[in-house]
Amino acid sequence: MSVPNHKDGNASVLNDKRPSDAPFYQVGATFVSPDDEHYYGLGQNHEGFLDHRGHTVECWHNYVATGGPSVCVPFLVSNYGYGLIWDNPSRTTIAPGFNEQTRWVSEVGDRVSFFVITGTNTDEIYSGYRLLTGPTPLMPKAAYGYIQCKQRYITQDEMLAVAKGYRDRHLPVDILVLDWFYYSKMGQMDFVPERWPDPAAMNRQLHDMGFQTMISVWPRFEKSSRYYDLLAQKSWFLRTADGTPVDGLPYDRAGSDIDSTNPEAARWYWDIIRGQHHQQGLRFHLG
């Protein structure tokens, strides 16, 4: 454990410390790495390596990762008959199998904490993982098939034409996803009528063709959107250390994100999403 400092190149994290925050540290641990040990898991990563040995893994939800957006799960499985859960939610870097060591380092923490799960096979290791994290229910059956999404379908006619193309060519697909900016602006919770004249009818047609549908609902609100002032008044946005609402992703600055870790904000957000889409006669899964 070390106080963030310029020598280690992590002093900037102190800019995010609120006056009310308790002191925190950079925390890490180093483990011996035999030459024949191999490392798997760590969530969704697009770098192209099944075995992470010799490849540094940035373990956070990194939308601008080099290989494409990554969503890390800090659970590593070794061919040596164990799994390791790193018990820290902050940005973490894992360097497995470098110089006979595997090193975990997290930006923020008040302790070094991890769990080791042993087993005679991978199923036993995952059973131990389940005991620690709780059971995960199965997803809807269609979610195990092919899910078609792109950035993005511009009109209702385009989405229906894509669906027809799959069926005409007899290609298997189970879910079509309607991604962002079917709405007029971030947080408006509407459909642009010129491009989506009857989304409920479109959805019925897709279901009749054997497609399940999913709609991407972004948790971001521009200042001119219908709910922004309410969320700002209730302090329900993610905020920087000085209380300023965070303004979008690093590359677009398009709206402030709701703080869904706040139970009241999360409950309000879900009710609004469900109410708006039911009001428009839609039966989408929500993504």
Side-chain angles (χ1 to χ4, degrees):
M1 298 171 64
S2 65
V3 175
N5 61 85
H6 291 287
K7 178 178 177 293
D8 292 332
N10 58 6
S12 62
V13 73
L14 295 173
N15 296 330
D16 294 326
K17 185 178 183 297
R18 298 175 177 85
S20 59
D21 289 341
F24 57 77
Y25 307 89
Q26 174 182 285
V27 300
T30 302
F31 303 88
V32 171
S33 176
D35 289 342
D36 60 345
E37 185 167 17
H38 303 283
Y39 305 95
Y40 307 97
L42 299 177
Q44 174 182 303
N45 183 283
H46 295 288
E47 301 296 335
F49 304 108
L50 179 64
D51 180 4
H52 295 297
R53 183 180 183 86
H55 304 285
T56 299
V57 177
E58 296 177 338
C59 192
W60 59 85
H61 194 140
N62 187 358
Y63 210 80
V64 293
T66 303
S70 63
V71 184
C72 185
V73 177
F75 175 45
L76 183 117
V77 177
S78 166
N79 63 318
Y80 264 53
Y82 72 91
L84 188 146
I85 298 177
W86 185 254
D87 180 26
N88 186 299
S90 73
R91 288 178 24 143
T92 298
T93 301
I94 304 118
F98 287 86
N99 298 321
E100 301 181 346
Q101 295 180 337
T102 291
R103 182 168 175 79
W104 296 69
V105 178
S106 294
E107 279 190 347
V108 174
D110 58 5
R111 70 198 189 287
V112 176
S113 177
F114 57 88
F115 297 86
V116 177
I117 307 165
T118 62
T120 57
N121 54 50
T122 305
D123 283 346
E124 288 187 6
I125 295 171
Y126 274 91
S127 294
Y129 177 83
R130 183 176 181 272
L131 287 174
L132 281 169
T133 62
T136 301
L138 289 174
M139 296 185 292
K141 184 177 180 180
Y144 295 96
Y146 178 64
I147 301 173
Q148 166 64 35
C149 180
K150 72 170 228 175
Q151 210 297 71
R152 59 190 167 90
Y153 298 120
I154 306 296
T155 66
Q156 179 172 324
D157 288 342
E158 180 188 7
M159 194 164 183
L160 287 169
V162 168
K164 184 176 184 300
Y166 270 97
R167 291 298 180 244
D168 288 348
R169 294 193 299 273
H170 305 288
L171 297 173
V173 57
D174 291 273
I175 298 178
L176 272 181
V177 182
L178 177 57
D179 204 347
W180 67 343
F181 275 116
Y182 51 85
Y183 38 79
S184 56
K185 61 182 66 174
M186 284 286 192
Q188 193 67 14
M189 303 286 187
D190 63 351
F191 281 82
V192 176
E194 293 80 11
R195 293 187 277 113
W196 306 90
D198 195 343
M202 176 194 72
N203 205 34
R204 286 194 297 271
Q205 290 180 64
L206 292 170
H207 286 191
D208 290 343
M209 296 167 68
F211 289 92
Q212 293 295 313
T213 49
M214 181 181 293
I215 191 167
S216 178
V217 183
W218 285 61
R220 303 165 66 184
F221 298 80
E222 293 184 51
K223 287 185 177 179
S224 55
S225 60
R226 68 174 75 174
Y227 299 113
Y228 183 92
D229 291 342
L230 171 69
L231 296 173
Q233 179 185 357
K234 290 182 174 291
S235 298
W236 281 353
F237 286 127
L238 293 174
R239 292 170 290 165
T240 57
D242 64 1
T244 303
V246 174
D247 188 14
L249 296 170
Y251 57 82
D252 61 14
R253 305 299 181 195
S256 298
D257 290 270
I258 191 170
D259 180 9
S260 59
T261 65
N262 180 316
E264 287 187 76
R267 191 177 307 111
W268 173 88
Y269 185 49
W270 171 243
D271 288 344
I272 288 294
I273 292 171
R274 183 173 52 186
Q276 288 290 336
H277 291 96
H278 283 190
Q279 181 181 332
Q280 296 175 72
L282 300 178
R283 291 190 300 116
F284 283 97
H285 297 292
L286 299 170

Tab-separated table of all heavy atoms in Angstrom, residues 191-214:
chain	number	residue	atom	x	y	z
A	191	PHE	N	-38.797	8.882	-29.525
A	191	PHE	CA	-38.396	8.442	-30.856
A	191	PHE	C	-38.581	9.622	-31.804
A	191	PHE	O	-39.610	10.301	-31.756
A	191	PHE	CB	-39.267	7.280	-31.342
A	191	PHE	CG	-38.900	5.947	-30.765
A	191	PHE	CD1	-39.357	5.570	-29.510
A	191	PHE	CD2	-38.129	5.052	-31.475
A	191	PHE	CE1	-39.034	4.343	-28.971
A	191	PHE	CE2	-37.792	3.812	-30.949
A	191	PHE	CZ	-38.241	3.458	-29.696
A	192	VAL	N	-37.601	9.867	-32.667
A	192	VAL	CA	-37.753	10.921	-33.669
A	192	VAL	C	-38.832	10.469	-34.656
A	192	VAL	O	-38.636	9.482	-35.378
A	192	VAL	CB	-36.418	11.180	-34.395
A	192	VAL	CG1	-36.616	12.213	-35.505
A	192	VAL	CG2	-35.358	11.643	-33.409
A	193	PRO	N	-39.977	11.140	-34.702
A	193	PRO	CA	-41.116	10.611	-35.469
A	193	PRO	C	-40.868	10.536	-36.974
A	193	PRO	O	-41.439	9.671	-37.648
A	193	PRO	CB	-42.248	11.599	-35.152
A	193	PRO	CG	-41.578	12.821	-34.627
A	193	PRO	CD	-40.315	12.369	-33.977
A	194	GLU	N	-40.018	11.410	-37.515
A	194	GLU	CA	-39.756	11.367	-38.956
A	194	GLU	C	-39.027	10.082	-39.354
A	194	GLU	O	-39.159	9.615	-40.497
A	194	GLU	CB	-38.917	12.583	-39.388
A	194	GLU	CG	-39.622	13.927	-39.269
A	194	GLU	CD	-39.622	14.447	-37.838
A	194	GLU	OE1	-38.887	13.862	-36.986
A	194	GLU	OE2	-40.363	15.397	-37.555
A	195	ARG	N	-38.244	9.527	-38.430
A	195	ARG	CA	-37.467	8.329	-38.753
A	195	ARG	C	-38.060	7.062	-38.151
A	195	ARG	O	-37.774	5.967	-38.611
A	195	ARG	CB	-36.017	8.522	-38.281
A	195	ARG	CG	-35.296	9.599	-39.074
A	195	ARG	CD	-33.819	9.685	-38.754
A	195	ARG	NE	-33.546	10.480	-37.554
A	195	ARG	CZ	-33.059	10.014	-36.427
A	195	ARG	NH1	-32.792	8.727	-36.314
A	195	ARG	NH2	-32.838	10.805	-35.409
A	196	TRP	N	-38.866	7.238	-37.115
A	196	TRP	CA	-39.483	6.098	-36.435
A	196	TRP	C	-40.974	6.404	-36.266
A	196	TRP	O	-41.440	6.698	-35.165
A	196	TRP	CB	-38.823	5.856	-35.075
A	196	TRP	CG	-37.332	5.713	-35.176
A	196	TRP	CD1	-36.394	6.692	-35.090
A	196	TRP	CD2	-36.610	4.511	-35.436
A	196	TRP	NE1	-35.136	6.186	-35.259
A	196	TRP	CE2	-35.234	4.843	-35.471
A	196	TRP	CE3	-36.988	3.179	-35.623
A	196	TRP	CZ2	-34.241	3.894	-35.711
A	196	TRP	CZ3	-35.997	2.239	-35.845
A	196	TRP	CH2	-34.642	2.585	-35.885
A	197	PRO	N	-41.737	6.345	-37.368
A	197	PRO	CA	-43.138	6.786	-37.314
A	197	PRO	C	-44.033	5.910	-36.442
A	197	PRO	O	-45.008	6.404	-35.871
A	197	PRO	CB	-43.582	6.751	-38.780
A	197	PRO	CG	-42.616	5.815	-39.448
A	197	PRO	CD	-41.323	5.971	-38.735
A	198	ASP	N	-43.728	4.618	-36.330
A	198	ASP	CA	-44.574	3.726	-35.528
A	198	ASP	C	-43.717	2.603	-34.950
A	198	ASP	O	-43.767	1.461	-35.422
A	198	ASP	CB	-45.709	3.160	-36.385
A	198	ASP	CG	-46.808	2.531	-35.538
A	198	ASP	OD1	-46.553	2.248	-34.346
A	198	ASP	OD2	-47.909	2.311	-36.067
A	199	PRO	N	-42.921	2.900	-33.930
A	199	PRO	CA	-42.022	1.867	-33.387
A	199	PRO	C	-42.760	0.668	-32.809
A	199	PRO	O	-42.242	-0.451	-32.847
A	199	PRO	CB	-41.228	2.616	-32.315
A	199	PRO	CG	-41.993	3.858	-32.029
A	199	PRO	CD	-42.744	4.196	-33.267
A	200	ALA	N	-43.961	0.869	-32.280
A	200	ALA	CA	-44.709	-0.269	-31.734
A	200	ALA	C	-45.100	-1.237	-32.844
A	200	ALA	O	-44.980	-2.465	-32.690
A	200	ALA	CB	-45.948	0.236	-30.995
A	201	ALA	N	-45.537	-0.708	-33.992
A	201	ALA	CA	-45.879	-1.579	-35.124
A	201	ALA	C	-44.640	-2.284	-35.646
A	201	ALA	O	-44.680	-3.481	-35.993
A	201	ALA	CB	-46.528	-0.752	-36.230
A	202	MET	N	-43.514	-1.561	-35.711
A	202	MET	CA	-42.259	-2.176	-36.134
A	202	MET	C	-41.892	-3.336	-35.215
A	202	MET	O	-41.497	-4.417	-35.674
A	202	MET	CB	-41.135	-1.142	-36.118
A	202	MET	CG	-39.763	-1.705	-36.456
A	202	MET	SD	-38.396	-0.593	-36.041
A	202	MET	CE	-38.396	-0.706	-34.237
A	203	ASN	N	-42.032	-3.119	-33.929
A	203	ASN	CA	-41.678	-4.152	-32.961
A	203	ASN	C	-42.558	-5.383	-33.123
A	203	ASN	O	-42.079	-6.525	-33.048
A	203	ASN	CB	-41.797	-3.580	-31.550
A	203	ASN	CG	-40.909	-4.297	-30.549
A	203	ASN	OD1	-39.822	-4.740	-30.887
A	203	ASN	ND2	-41.376	-4.401	-29.318
A	204	ARG	N	-43.831	-5.167	-33.381
A	204	ARG	CA	-44.737	-6.305	-33.604
A	204	ARG	C	-44.325	-7.093	-34.843
A	204	ARG	O	-44.326	-8.328	-34.844
A	204	ARG	CB	-46.174	-5.811	-33.736
A	204	ARG	CG	-46.814	-5.367	-32.421
A	204	ARG	CD	-48.319	-5.209	-32.557
A	204	ARG	NE	-48.674	-4.166	-33.516
A	204	ARG	CZ	-48.824	-2.879	-33.197
A	204	ARG	NH1	-48.643	-2.486	-31.935
A	204	ARG	NH2	-49.163	-2.000	-34.119
A	205	GLN	N	-43.940	-6.364	-35.904
A	205	GLN	CA	-43.507	-7.050	-37.127
A	205	GLN	C	-42.253	-7.888	-36.869
A	205	GLN	O	-42.147	-9.020	-37.351
A	205	GLN	CB	-43.222	-6.019	-38.223
A	205	GLN	CG	-44.453	-5.325	-38.782
A	205	GLN	CD	-44.070	-4.313	-39.854
A	205	GLN	OE1	-43.552	-4.673	-40.903
A	205	GLN	NE2	-44.325	-3.050	-39.585
A	206	LEU	N	-41.312	-7.342	-36.113
A	206	LEU	CA	-40.089	-8.081	-35.807
A	206	LEU	C	-40.397	-9.333	-34.996
A	206	LEU	O	-39.842	-10.413	-35.242
A	206	LEU	CB	-39.098	-7.173	-35.068
A	206	LEU	CG	-38.503	-6.033	-35.902
A	206	LEU	CD1	-37.732	-5.062	-35.008
A	206	LEU	CD2	-37.591	-6.582	-37.001
A	207	HIS	N	-41.285	-9.207	-34.020
A	207	HIS	CA	-41.654	-10.375	-33.221
A	207	HIS	C	-42.351	-11.425	-34.085
A	207	HIS	O	-42.127	-12.628	-33.930
A	207	HIS	CB	-42.540	-9.942	-32.061
A	207	HIS	CG	-41.796	-9.243	-30.976
A	207	HIS	ND1	-42.351	-8.951	-29.742
A	207	HIS	CD2	-40.531	-8.756	-30.924
A	207	HIS	CE1	-41.454	-8.325	-28.987
A	207	HIS	NE2	-40.351	-8.196	-29.695
A	208	ASP	N	-43.200	-10.956	-35.024
A	208	ASP	CA	-43.888	-11.892	-35.917
A	208	ASP	C	-42.901	-12.628	-36.820
A	208	ASP	O	-43.169	-13.759	-37.257
A	208	ASP	CB	-44.917	-11.148	-36.770
A	208	ASP	CG	-46.116	-10.667	-35.957
A	208	ASP	OD1	-46.299	-11.173	-34.832
A	208	ASP	OD2	-46.846	-9.776	-36.445
A	209	MET	N	-41.751	-12.003	-37.101
A	209	MET	CA	-40.705	-12.627	-37.925
A	209	MET	C	-39.791	-13.529	-37.092
A	209	MET	O	-38.825	-14.089	-37.607
A	209	MET	CB	-39.879	-11.543	-38.624
A	209	MET	CG	-40.675	-10.711	-39.627
A	209	MET	SD	-39.776	-9.210	-40.147
A	209	MET	CE	-38.418	-9.914	-41.068
A	210	GLY	N	-40.058	-13.635	-35.806
A	210	GLY	CA	-39.272	-14.514	-34.943
A	210	GLY	C	-38.093	-13.856	-34.274
A	210	GLY	O	-37.215	-14.548	-33.740
A	211	PHE	N	-38.048	-12.527	-34.276
A	211	PHE	CA	-36.966	-11.804	-33.608
A	211	PHE	C	-37.396	-11.370	-32.210
A	211	PHE	O	-38.513	-10.859	-32.036
A	211	PHE	CB	-36.591	-10.534	-34.383
A	211	PHE	CG	-35.879	-10.771	-35.673
A	211	PHE	CD1	-36.588	-10.881	-36.861
A	211	PHE	CD2	-34.504	-10.898	-35.703
A	211	PHE	CE1	-35.932	-11.096	-38.059
A	211	PHE	CE2	-33.834	-11.114	-36.897
A	211	PHE	CZ	-34.559	-11.221	-38.081
A	212	GLN	N	-36.523	-11.552	-31.233
A	212	GLN	CA	-36.638	-10.800	-30.000
A	212	GLN	C	-35.939	-9.455	-30.234
A	212	GLN	O	-35.036	-9.357	-31.075
A	212	GLN	CB	-35.980	-11.539	-28.839
A	212	GLN	CG	-36.688	-12.826	-28.454
A	212	GLN	CD	-38.073	-12.580	-27.905
A	212	GLN	OE1	-38.273	-11.713	-27.060
A	212	GLN	NE2	-39.053	-13.345	-28.392
A	213	THR	N	-36.343	-8.445	-29.529
A	213	THR	CA	-35.765	-7.122	-29.754
A	213	THR	C	-35.237	-6.544	-28.449
A	213	THR	O	-35.756	-6.826	-27.370
A	213	THR	CB	-36.811	-6.159	-30.350
A	213	THR	OG1	-38.008	-6.232	-29.587
A	213	THR	CG2	-37.094	-6.485	-31.795
A	214	MET	N	-34.191	-5.750	-28.584
A	214	MET	CA	-33.594	-5.080	-27.437
A	214	MET	C	-33.385	-3.617	-27.803
A	214	MET	O	-33.016	-3.300	-28.940
A	214	MET	CB	-32.252	-5.723	-27.062
A	214	MET	CG	-31.578	-5.081	-25.859
A	214	MET	SD	-29.977	-5.854	-25.456
A	214	MET	CE	-30.505	-7.474	-24.931
